[in-house]
């Protein structure tokens, strides 16, 4: 339980960091610049993103469409929602 709570908090922290990064990029350029989740993953490790997308297409083709949609959302939104859901579910199950 503690491990999942820490994972949730870590994802929320990463979401806040991504939001801050987008805010700084927007201030520097003078226009709104929001990095998608796929762009953030590619920035960290492009090869693993390509391998994951290839694996999903080969083994679970039914979710490739919704997954592409989720990857186009802002990185801070994806990380934040997943982190909040994990932390919230652990909180509910713990009582």
């Amino acid at each position: 339980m503690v491990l999942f709570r820490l994972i949730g908090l870590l994802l929320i922290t990463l979401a806040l960091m991504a939001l801050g990064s987008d805010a700084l990029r927007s201030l520097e350029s003078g226009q709104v610049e929001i990095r998608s989740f796929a762009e953030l993953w590619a920035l960290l490790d492009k090869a693993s993103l390509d391998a994951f997308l290839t694996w999903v297409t080969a083994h679970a083709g039914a979710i490739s469409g919704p997954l592409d949609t989720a990857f186009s959302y802002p990185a801070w939104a994806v990380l934040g929602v997943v982190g909040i859901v994990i932390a919230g579910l652990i909180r509910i199950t713990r009582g």
Side-chain angles (χ1 to χ4, degrees), residues 14-70:
L14 291 173
L16 291 172
M17 290 171 61
L19 181 61
S21 171
D22 287 346
L24 286 175
R25 288 179 60 208
S26 297
L27 286 172
E28 287 176 349
S29 68
Q31 59 186 351
V32 177
E33 292 188 23
I34 298 175
R35 186 176 286 142
S36 71
F37 184 67
E39 290 175 28
L40 180 65
W41 190 344
L43 185 68
L44 296 174
D45 189 8
K46 177 77 169 133
S48 69
L49 174 63
D50 293 339
F52 177 74
L53 293 176
T54 302
W55 182 86
V56 166
T57 304
H59 295 88
I63 66 166
S64 65
L67 191 66
D68 287 339
T69 302

